[in-house]
Amino acid sequence: MPSAHSASTSRTLLNKVPEVTVWFWLIKVLCTTVGETAADFLNATLGFGLTGTSIVTGALLAIILALQMRSRAYVPGLYWGTVTLVSVFGTLVTDNLTDNLGVPLELSSVVFGVALAIVFVAWYRYEGTLSIHSIITTRRETFYWLAIFVTFALGTATGDLMAQALSLGYVVSAAIVMAVIAVIAIGWRLGLHPVLSFWILYVLTRPLGASLGDLLAQPTDQGGLGVGSTVTSIVFLVAILGMVTYLSLSRVDVIDGGARASLGGVDARTTSFEAVRQEGRSRYGLAQTLVVVAILLVLGGVGYAARLDALAQDTGSSTSAAATPQAQGRLQARDEAAWTRVDGKVDTVLTSLRASSPDPAAETTALNDLLAGLG
């Protein structure tokens, strides 16, 4: 269905989203980081628990999203407040699936990836465009926020999969994501479709921000810098408020009625030349999407398999080293039965730590059991 017809059959608004500038990406990453640390702050520090945090955040999100949908124009504070709460809630959805329901991160990543593809297909089917420069109807804005939510849930699942399940750590995970972001940004400069580039970068900035947040907030014995979720959340929230205040006063990120090419696409209200140019780009947009997504999936699959193989080899080497006659002899000389018990407890700890869906409670229990066995 053509986009012009869609606009005529739904409430027409001024564009409800900001221009894609450097401010957009800075605040997006900061919101993503706050989404990770704020969820930890409410869950652990304030003791709300995962379920309680999800309920509180969900209620706040429903309120601010209703206000955002009722607004007839882009309001920086309202828009970025909605993004921040969507970030927190998207993080909690993935955490609930992993921690409460035991869903493997691999499965969550696949499910949310398929869900995002379905949202995009439906959005394009009904509206004829995925450009953020055309969020001028209620239905388009509904698709937009649904896509934003799924990107945060997907980014959380893939980020946790890399940093935790695959034991890459926060620094390595962030470095990998930044490398892919750089490649996509260069590709956009060289002619990669702007709408495709925008949505890939939007997904990738979620695990990037989460890795940075975890790196700052987590204790040093867990690979972080030990700043804490409270301090990290406060510092990043202050930074967000400062930038949003600047945007509210300067209005530098307001999309005007003219044609403005950027990473988000081209405005729906364009000159005839730009309309023809956009139509030509759309013809190869689908082909580029299929090729780029296929490449990312292949590289991700190969990297995942290689990392699993490396982890398996490390586990095998550790087990072999622990089972050498010299190591066994020192323990078995005192108590052969005690060695067997300790060896079993070590295996339990390793299995728990390297599980595809890490369970902190199970890890703690296994470690405490091992410590008790060692006296």
Side-chain angles (χ1 to χ4, degrees):
M1 186 179 301
S3 58
H5 178 68
S6 298
S8 66
T9 58
S10 183
R11 186 168 66 110
T12 303
L13 313 162
L14 296 176
N15 205 304
K16 299 287 295 292
V17 302
E19 179 63 275
V20 182
T21 64
V22 64
W23 296 107
F24 180 93
W25 292 116
L26 284 175
I27 300 176
K28 165 60 165 61
V29 173
L30 291 176
C31 287
T32 297
T33 304
V34 168
E36 185 74 15
T37 58
D40 293 340
F41 173 72
L42 293 172
N43 180 18
T45 306
L46 295 186
F48 282 21
L50 200 53
T51 302
T53 302
S54 301
I55 294 173
V56 171
T57 305
L60 292 175
L61 174 59
I63 294 172
I64 196 170
L65 184 58
L67 294 174
Q68 166 68 23
M69 296 293 290
R70 286 176 61 86
S71 173
R72 297 188 61 85
Y74 163 62
V75 180
L78 189 58
Y79 173 85
W80 287 111
T82 306
V83 171
T84 301
L85 284 173
V86 171
S87 173
V88 177
F89 192 71
T91 298
L92 291 168
V93 168
T94 300
D95 288 346
N96 273 284
L97 289 175
T98 303
D99 297 340
N100 289 343
L101 300 180
V103 178
L105 289 167
E106 293 88 345
L107 179 58
S108 296
S109 299
V110 172
V111 169
F112 286 129
V114 172
L116 185 60
I118 292 173
V119 171
F120 284 149
V121 169
W123 183 354
Y124 192 82
R125 167 67 178 81
Y126 284 104
E127 300 297 330
T129 178
L130 300 179
S131 171
I132 69 164
H133 285 167
S134 62
I135 309 300
I136 55 176
T137 68
T138 302
R139 185 162 64 185
R140 289 185 184 183
E141 188 178 10
T142 301
F143 278 121
Y144 175 80
W145 286 113
L146 184 58
I148 294 299
F149 163 72
V150 179
T151 62
F152 278 114
L154 173 62
T156 300
T158 55
D160 289 349
L161 176 63
M162 293 171 61
Q164 299 176 18
L166 296 181
S167 301
L168 290 174
Y170 306 125
V171 175
V172 175
S173 298
I176 293 174
V177 174
M178 289 177 65
V180 179
I181 288 175
V183 171
I184 296 299
I186 293 172
W188 168 64
R189 285 292 186 183
L190 296 178
L192 189 64
H193 198 281
V195 175
L196 171 64
S197 303
F198 171 82
W199 285 110
I200 292 177
L201 293 180
Y202 205 97
V203 172
L204 291 175
T205 47
R206 172 60 185 82
L208 173 61
S211 296
L212 294 176
D214 284 334
L215 177 63
L216 292 170
Q218 295 301 319
T220 54
D221 59 350
Q222 296 181 23
L225 298 178
V227 176
S229 59
T230 303
V231 175
T232 302
S233 298
I234 292 174
V235 170
F236 279 64
L237 277 174
V238 170
I240 292 172
L241 289 174
M243 292 183 188
V244 171
T245 300
Y246 166 74
L247 294 177
S248 299
L249 296 174
S250 66
R251 309 291 288 171
V252 296
D253 65 334
V254 175
I255 299 176
D256 59 33
R260 298 176 70 181
S262 77
L263 195 57
V266 177
D267 196 292
R269 296 163 287 183
T270 60
T271 63
S272 58
F273 171 77
E274 287 295 339
V276 172
R277 182 169 176 261
Q278 173 68 0
E279 181 181 357
R281 298 189 78 174
S282 297
R283 292 175 181 174
Y284 61 82
L286 177 59
Q288 285 191 359
T289 299
L290 295 175
V291 171
V292 172
V293 171
I295 291 174
L296 291 176
L297 289 176
V298 169
L299 291 177
V302 171
Y304 175 77
R307 182 57 181 167
L308 284 184
D309 183 62
L311 289 175
Q313 291 182 4
D314 288 344
T315 302
S317 299
S318 300
T319 303
S320 298
T324 57
Q326 294 84 354
Q328 288 186 6
R330 286 193 293 270
L331 289 173
Q332 290 176 341
R334 289 175 174 260
D335 190 335
E336 188 170 339
W339 158 253
T340 302
R341 289 194 298 271
V342 170
D343 187 41
K345 295 179 188 298
V346 170
D347 290 340
T348 301
V349 170
L350 292 175
T351 301
S352 178
L353 291 174
R354 296 218 165 102
S356 59
S357 298
D359 183 349
E363 294 172 359
T364 301
T365 300
L367 288 169
N368 287 336
D369 190 34
L370 174 59
L371 290 174
L374 292 172

